[in-house]
Amino acid sequence: SQTIHQWPATLVQPVGSPLSLECTVEGTSNPNLYWYRQAAGRGLQLLFYSVGIGQISSEVPQNLSASRPQDRQFILSSKKLLLSDSGFYLCAWSSGGRSAGELFFGEGSRLTVL
Amino acid sequence: GESVGLHLPTLSVQEGDNSIINCAYSNSASDYFIWYKQESGKGPQFIIDIRSNMDKRQGQRVTVLLNKTVKHLSLQIAATQPGDSAVYFCADLSGYALNFGKGTSLLVTP
């Protein structure tokens, strides 16, 4: 069966510090991978998605970046965090290609920037 | 901007009653819709989906209705239980990714 893991689950970072959130998927190959952000009391905002190794599509211009160094690994990064980067970050995967579209989410990473 | 939205931010129902959560979308080209349930501090979980060639789909205790004429879909939960308390999101497929609405918080009272 397929599983998705993301870490860390929670972190508190000072403004201006770097960020690295990692996500890995097991039990499938060539998945589409996604990073969403959820601010408190808000919906899910798509940040990045990737349909293959090294391919990244950015939906929202900001100080975050994403990378996909391996087929089932997706990393969310920042060189300098802002207060507004606080939120709940969710990694998700779906079957490769423009398939049914069902996304499977990880348990999330809660980021607090102070 | 968002192409989907929810009519009400919160919904309170009594245990055993039926719940109806509504959602409107603006992209008439959307052909796939999903409902997700998100419990506090967790990632969203799939509930049910529907394609635009259908107007109704049923699951276990849940039914999704799609009205393409008015670009509206709803999630009906039968015999609502305390474990149904969560935030519910509708989403439509836009390209490779799902576009989510803001969510409706469902509170089930005894």
Side-chain angles (χ1 to χ4, degrees):
Chain A
S1 63
Q2 301 88 1
T3 57
I4 180 170
H5 304 280
Q6 61 174 109
W7 69 94
T10 59
L11 66 165
V12 179
Q13 295 283 97
V15 169
S17 65
L19 171 73
S20 180
L21 300 178
E22 296 195 31
C23 173
T24 60
V25 180
E26 296 176 359
T28 187
S29 60
N30 194 32
N32 293 340
L33 297 172
Y34 306 83
W35 278 111
Y36 282 84
R37 177 171 62 196
Q38 186 174 31
R42 300 288 298 275
L44 283 75
Q45 178 188 33
L46 177 64
L47 301 176
F48 302 95
Y49 69 91
S50 170
V51 299
I53 296 175
Q55 187 282 330
I56 306 294
S57 295
S58 174
E59 292 293 306
V60 183
Q62 52 200 328
N63 67 318
L64 299 173
S65 62
S67 61
R68 184 172 179 174
Q70 299 181 41
D71 180 45
R72 291 169 292 172
Q73 184 184 25
F74 207 23
I75 299 172
L76 183 68
S77 304
S78 175
K79 292 182 179 178
K80 290 184 177 182
L81 284 168
L82 305 173
L83 287 174
S84 57
D85 291 324
S86 293
F88 192 49
Y89 289 82
L90 289 154
C91 182
W93 73 273
S94 69
S95 298
R98 197 178 189 281
S99 63
E102 179 183 350
L103 265 62
F104 301 90
F105 286 87
E107 288 301 303
S109 298
R110 185 163 301 282
L111 169 66
T112 302
V113 182
L114 301 176
Chain B
E2 291 181 309
S3 72
V4 293
L6 291 161
H7 291 313
L8 294 173
T10 59
L11 176 65
S12 182
V13 298
Q14 280 198 313
E15 183 178 355
D17 288 351
N18 296 334
S19 303
I20 300 176
I21 301 172
N22 296 303
C23 181
Y25 63 96
S26 59
N27 184 1
S28 52
S30 295
D31 60 1
Y32 181 67
F33 305 87
I34 298 183
W35 282 98
Y36 279 88
K37 172 185 179 183
Q38 186 179 25
E39 296 177 346
S40 180
K42 296 185 177 181
Q45 291 184 306
F46 172 89
I47 301 174
I48 193 168
D49 59 1
I50 188 167
R51 292 200 174 277
S52 60
N53 60 352
M54 304 171 67
D55 53 20
K56 180 179 180 180
R57 192 167 187 215
Q58 288 183 297
Q60 188 177 13
R61 284 201 306 118
V62 295
T63 301
V64 56
L65 299 177
L66 176 63
N67 185 330
K68 295 179 287 294
T69 302
V70 295
K71 291 184 280 191
H72 178 273
L73 68 160
S74 65
L75 176 70
Q76 300 178 2
I77 305 173
T80 312
Q81 303 170 358
D84 295 326
S85 292
V87 177
Y88 290 80
F89 294 96
C90 63
D92 71 337
L93 184 62
S94 176
Y96 286 98
L98 290 176
N99 182 33
F100 287 81
K102 288 187 171 63
T104 291
S105 178
L106 176 65
L107 177 63
V108 182
T109 57

